[in-house]
Amino acid sequence: MYEIMVFLFFFLLPVGFTIDYYCWKRLTPCIVSFIGVYFILLIYELIGQSLGFITLSKFVYFYIFLFYLCGLLASITAAIFFSRIDKIKPPVIEFSLFNYGDRAKNFITNVALLMSLICSWHIFSAYRDLGSFVSEDFEARLTYGFAGHSFAILMATLPFLVEIYLKHKKKKYIVFISFIFILLFMKQVKYWVMIPLVWMVWYVISGKFIQLSFKKYITISLKLALVLIALFFSVYFMKVIMSNQSGNLDYFSVMFSIMIHFLGYLFSGILTLSNYEGLGLYNNLTFKDAFGLLAGFLNIFNAISGSDLLTLELVRPMLPLNIIYGAVGNVPSIWGTLLLSAGNYAFLFFFIMIFLLSFLCGMSSHSKLMLMIYTFLTSFLFFSWFDYYYYLLTPYEVSAFVMLFYFCIQIIKKMPRFNFGLKK
């Protein structure tokens, strides 16, 4: 039974990907959401148990496939709906690189420079007070309050800076962008580096700012995967180095331990989902914390009004994932989290989420602002195999700042130049 379910899963998902791609002529939110777990499950079936990871329940394939059917139906429904509103849609446009003028370029670079300085101050201020770059207190100092908002503003400047670099091809811009990623890296929260990196590549490819053949597309995808793996290793290697007091390290053991930790990170979503199913947490699927699923969006208004912030209130016990090396996890992927929170309504919630993101996918061909927001929001779907991220404030806060910068640039672009009677 398990072998048949595995075979059907790996055979039918590519068929669904093909149908979805045919409807939209591009990668869709549904494909993006499931392509990662497809390959992770494939890797697990090849090497997972031989490295000591726990046995996967067949119900994992069953649940994920049910969600996939909901997502595919939502994507096809959105494609049909979008094709019926041709008369009211703006025309499809060919995007050009940062054609807003020098004043707009100076505005966004100055904002990014100012926020870089502020974020640098937060980093060194936290280090001065705590005496370490590696601690939960250090991460908290950079996550909450004014520091957290500063990093969100800085992240929102990235698509504009990337456009400026691609247009002018000057080294100073790529150096500046690299410096911003170093600042984001210092938060030591993996998604704060991985999401913007995926976002920039996804934005450039979706906007067709560079022309790619299929071979180049695969090459870039593999390079991006390697960079993400390197970032993961770098974060944990830095933590080991900075927390080591003796100065004696077995580097081979450290790298092997990080490799197991990395595979545990890849497998954590599917294995935790399997663990929770074994505990019976999915036997009684009831409506628990639907408002928590929307906490990120609702917290925008709560922050403005000064009300208490919402969070996703779920009991997610930490359970073993590897019986040899002791890896543990409590993140049951986006689908496991939705089931825990919304019960059977999780399938409806996922349908609506993919439908709205698919509609935004269609609109992204008609507006550069929509393209920026669409590629940012769907960047989180690349990590659906790990957890549900839309209860966080980050997706909505960064999107709001992107809109703010975009409208500011449009105003600056249209402002008349004043030379006060001086001749050029």
Side-chain angles (χ1 to χ4, degrees):
M1 179 66 179
Y2 178 83
E3 290 77 11
I4 294 175
M5 191 169 292
V6 170
F7 173 78
L8 290 175
F9 181 89
F10 286 114
F11 174 75
L12 292 177
L13 251 67
V15 174
F17 291 160
T18 303
I19 295 171
D20 203 5
Y21 188 88
Y22 176 79
C23 291
W24 285 98
K25 302 297 188 293
R26 70 181 78 177
L27 292 180
T28 65
C30 184
I31 295 175
V32 165
S33 183
F34 287 90
I35 192 71
V37 75
Y38 181 87
F39 285 105
I40 286 170
L41 283 167
L42 183 61
I43 294 171
Y44 170 82
E45 293 295 341
L46 293 174
I47 65 172
Q49 288 185 270
S50 64
L51 291 174
F53 289 97
I54 63 173
T55 302
L56 191 67
S57 167
K58 64 179 180 292
F59 288 97
V60 170
Y61 286 98
F62 176 72
Y63 281 130
I64 293 177
F65 189 70
L66 281 182
F67 274 106
Y68 178 69
L69 291 179
C70 290
L72 179 61
L73 180 61
S75 184
I76 294 173
T77 303
I80 295 172
F81 178 76
F82 198 77
S83 66
R84 298 292 177 87
I85 58 172
D86 284 330
K87 293 181 180 180
I88 63 173
K89 285 187 301 187
V92 174
I93 59 176
E94 183 175 341
F95 298 119
S96 56
L97 288 168
F98 206 87
N99 57 343
Y100 309 120
D102 290 338
R103 290 183 299 172
K105 181 183 71 175
N106 293 336
F107 165 75
I108 201 68
T109 51
N110 287 336
V111 169
L113 180 60
L114 175 62
M115 298 316 302
S116 296
L117 294 174
I118 292 174
C119 290
S120 298
W121 180 82
H122 283 301
I123 291 170
F124 287 105
S125 175
Y127 174 75
R128 180 193 61 204
D129 295 341
L130 301 172
S132 172
F133 288 112
V134 183
S135 70
E136 293 184 0
D137 291 335
F138 182 84
E139 293 179 20
R141 282 281 295 270
L142 301 183
T143 300
Y144 302 107
F146 180 59
H149 298 307
S150 300
F151 279 96
I153 296 171
L154 183 61
M155 189 191 295
T157 64
L158 281 172
F160 304 99
L161 294 175
V162 167
E163 278 195 53
I164 292 172
Y165 165 70
L166 291 175
K167 182 172 184 177
H168 296 282
K169 301 289 186 180
K170 292 184 178 179
K171 290 183 179 179
K172 63 180 181 180
Y173 292 116
I174 196 64
V175 170
F176 186 30
I177 292 170
S178 300
F179 177 66
I180 290 175
F181 273 98
I182 291 173
L183 293 177
L184 296 176
F185 176 82
M186 292 304 297
K187 283 177 65 72
Q188 299 172 47
V189 179
K190 292 182 288 293
Y191 81 86
W192 269 89
V193 181
M194 294 180 176
I195 292 297
L197 184 60
V198 170
W199 179 23
M200 291 305 95
V201 176
W202 186 221
Y203 176 60
V204 169
I205 292 175
S206 299
K208 299 180 181 178
F209 297 123
I210 55 176
Q211 297 300 317
L212 295 176
S213 62
F214 181 75
K215 182 179 179 180
K216 286 185 177 180
Y217 183 83
I218 297 298
T219 301
I220 288 178
S221 299
L222 291 175
K223 286 182 178 179
L224 178 60
L226 290 174
V227 169
L228 291 174
I229 293 172
L231 284 171
F232 183 95
F233 272 72
S234 298
V235 169
Y236 283 94
F237 192 74
M238 183 181 74
K239 289 185 176 182
V240 171
I241 293 296
M242 289 187 174
S243 60
N244 180 53
Q245 301 297 327
S246 64
N248 298 320
L249 279 177
D250 183 345
Y251 289 98
F252 177 80
S253 297
V254 170
M255 294 305 292
F256 183 78
S257 176
I258 296 176
M259 184 196 74
I260 294 296
H261 190 79
F262 172 71
L263 289 174
Y265 179 68
L266 288 183
F267 299 152
S268 60
I270 56 173
L271 294 182
T272 302
L273 178 59
S274 181
N275 271 332
Y276 285 2
E277 191 279 328
L279 286 178
L281 296 185
Y282 299 121
N283 291 346
N284 184 21
L285 295 176
T286 58
F287 208 64
K288 296 184 182 71
D289 190 19
F291 284 111
L293 294 175
L294 302 171
F297 178 73
L298 296 175
N299 280 340
I300 296 177
F301 305 100
N302 290 333
I304 294 173
S305 64
S307 303
D308 293 336
L309 299 182
L310 298 173
T311 187
L312 186 59
E313 300 287 351
L314 291 177
V315 177
R316 299 196 287 187
M318 191 75 73
L319 297 175
L321 305 179
N322 191 297
I323 58 178
I324 298 176
Y325 302 103
V328 295
N330 70 335
V331 282
S333 77
I334 186 175
W335 308 289
T337 301
L338 289 178
L339 281 171
L340 284 177
S341 181
N344 288 317
Y345 290 97
F347 299 102
L348 176 61
F349 185 92
F350 190 72
F351 177 93
I352 295 172
M353 184 181 78
I354 295 297
F355 178 87
L356 293 176
L357 289 173
S358 298
F359 188 81
L360 192 58
C361 171
M363 290 302 299
S364 68
S365 298
H366 305 271
S367 163
K368 185 179 283 189
L369 174 60
M370 292 296 102
L371 178 66
M372 291 180 183
I373 294 174
Y374 164 72
T375 50
F376 176 63
L377 291 178
T378 49
S379 293
F380 292 91
L381 288 181
F382 280 95
F383 300 91
S384 294
W385 48 268
F386 185 69
D387 202 4
Y388 173 78
Y389 289 95
Y390 296 112
Y391 75 94
L392 300 170
L393 182 61
T394 304
Y396 310 98
E397 183 179 24
V398 174
S399 296
F401 283 124
V402 167
M403 287 190 284
L404 177 63
F405 291 146
Y406 182 85
F407 290 129
C408 286
I409 286 173
Q410 297 301 317
I411 293 172
I412 292 171
K413 178 183 176 181
K414 295 177 181 179
M415 286 175 59
R417 290 182 176 274
F418 299 100
N419 57 19
F420 301 100
L422 299 176
K423 294 183 179 180
K424 294 183 178 180

